[in-house]
């Protein structure tokens, strides 16, 4: 079983989910985007997260989509270097534990390297219920990365994080809360537990998180601009603070596209214009309209050099 270190170190792209017009996920339609990301240097993907519209995807579609993406990702590695050199994690977040288990078993059967799991969505839960939710997936026999996205689910508090770190199969936490005090607490857990790792998903605080000791970054804008995200990781490792600051500003500025249209529909519209992903989204989401697409194109024109 992998530890959190290889799963969360460096850049993870929280992949958008290419879809058919009816909103069903399509691994076949993902091929152009996967090719472009691999060619840019990306090696780690997270499928079906918030950028991937995961909770809107029916559980019955998880297995076929994940299997198709993993098959293509492996083929890219074998063609380039003669062996598989990538990692694919799969978000299985849902409202109830039984739904999570169905998704987790499908992801495991499809070849996922690890599961990503937020606390339950919709209902408010006690801390012991949240910990029990995570404990229940131990029998799937895959490492689990806890995913703190309090906009969408129950929050992972410091106390809950400490309890999750006591579960052997929970090997790290991806934090998208934007709370740097919490992230510092998570890094402290990693310092005490070998193999436990921390990823930062808050796009405007990537550099700050790395400075605090986070192992890697998981920015949604890396779907359209993986280059600056990879370069930020390299600059931080090299100790080039000025370049880190410059690249953080680029990535922060790119998040301005969500002022045109919030969320995944905007990312997919940008990728569709570049021939890398259909614009279709899972209902009840709606794709960008022509005015939004034109505004996105105008907004991103100054960033052309950074786009995939």
């Amino acid at each position: 079983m992998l530890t959190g270190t290889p799963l969360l170190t460096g850049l993870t792209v929280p992949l958008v989910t290419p879809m058919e017009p009816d909103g069903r996920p399509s691994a076949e339609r993902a091929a152009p985007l996967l090719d472009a990301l691999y060619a840019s240097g990306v090696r780690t993907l997270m499928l079906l997260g918030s950028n991937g519209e995961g909770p809107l995807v029916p559980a019955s579609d998880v297995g076929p989509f994940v299997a198709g993406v993993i098959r293509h990702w492996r083929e890219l590695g074998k063609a380039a270097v003669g062996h598989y050199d990538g990692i694919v994690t799969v978000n299985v977040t849902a409202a109830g534990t039984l739904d999570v288990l169905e998704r987790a078993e499908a992801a495991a059967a499809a070849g996922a390297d690890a599961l990503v799991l937020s606390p339950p969505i919709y209902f408010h839960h006690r801390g012991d219920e949240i910990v029990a939710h995570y404990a229940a997936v131990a029998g799937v026999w895959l490492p689990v990365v806890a995913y703190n996205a309090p906009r969408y689910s129950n929050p992972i508090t410091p106390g809950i994080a400490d309890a999750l770190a006591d579960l052997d199969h929970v090997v790290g936490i991806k934090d998208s809360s934007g709370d740097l005090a919490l992230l510092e607490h998570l890094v402290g857990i990693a310092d005490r537990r070998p193999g436990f790792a921390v990823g930062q998903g808050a796009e405007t605080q990537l550099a700050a998180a790395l400075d605090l000791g986070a192992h890697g970054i998981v920015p949604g804008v890396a779907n359209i601009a993986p280059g600056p995200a990879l370069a930020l990781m390299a600059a931080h490792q090299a100790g080039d603070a000025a370049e880190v600051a410059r690249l953080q500003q680029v990535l922060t500025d790119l998040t301005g596209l969500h002022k045109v249209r919030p969320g995944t529909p905007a990312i997919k519209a940008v990728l569709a214009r570049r021939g890398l992903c259909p614009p279709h989204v899972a209902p009840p989401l709606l794709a960008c309209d022509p005015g939004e697409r034109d505004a996105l194109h105008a907004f991103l024109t100054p960033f052309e050099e950074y786009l995939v």
Side-chain angles (χ1 to χ4, degrees), residues 89-128:
T89 67
V90 180
N91 179 42
V92 294
T93 296
T97 303
L98 295 179
D99 193 2
V100 165
L101 287 171
E102 181 180 359
R103 292 168 181 269
E105 288 161 1
D113 294 300
L115 305 175
V116 178
L117 178 61
S118 288
I121 59 177
Y122 192 79
F123 290 108
H124 293 291
H125 288 278
R126 300 184 328 193
D128 58 347

Side-chain angles (χ1 to χ4, degrees), residues 270-285:
V270 173
L271 291 170
R273 192 177 189 107
R274 307 180 80 80
L276 297 175
C277 175
H280 316 307
V281 291
L285 291 174

Side-chain angles (χ1 to χ4, degrees), residues 274 297 300-308:
R274 307 180 80 80
H297 177 64
L300 288 171
T301 296
F303 299 97
E304 182 66 31
E305 66 180 293
Y306 299 112
L307 302 184
V308 67

Side-chain angles (χ1 to χ4, degrees), residues 26-31 34 47 61-75 88 110-111:
S26 170
E28 181 179 357
R29 289 176 177 262
L34 294 174
L47 308 185
D61 288 341
V62 169
F65 175 71
V66 171
V69 169
I70 289 175
R71 183 165 51 249
H72 192 86
W73 202 237
R74 287 176 174 165
E75 289 170 353
V88 178

Side-chain angles (χ1 to χ4, degrees), residues 14 46 50-51 116 118 146-152 156 173-180 182-183 186 198-203 205-206 217-220:
M46 183 181 81
S50 54
N51 283 281
V116 178
S118 288
Y147 179 12
N148 188 35
R151 287 185 298 170
Y152 306 122
I156 294 178
I173 296 182
K174 175 202 169 187
D175 180 45
S176 294
S177 69
D179 182 346
L180 290 178
L182 173 63
L183 190 132
L186 301 179
V198 178
Q200 169 66 294
E203 293 167 311
Q205 296 179 333
L206 305 173
I217 58 176
V218 196

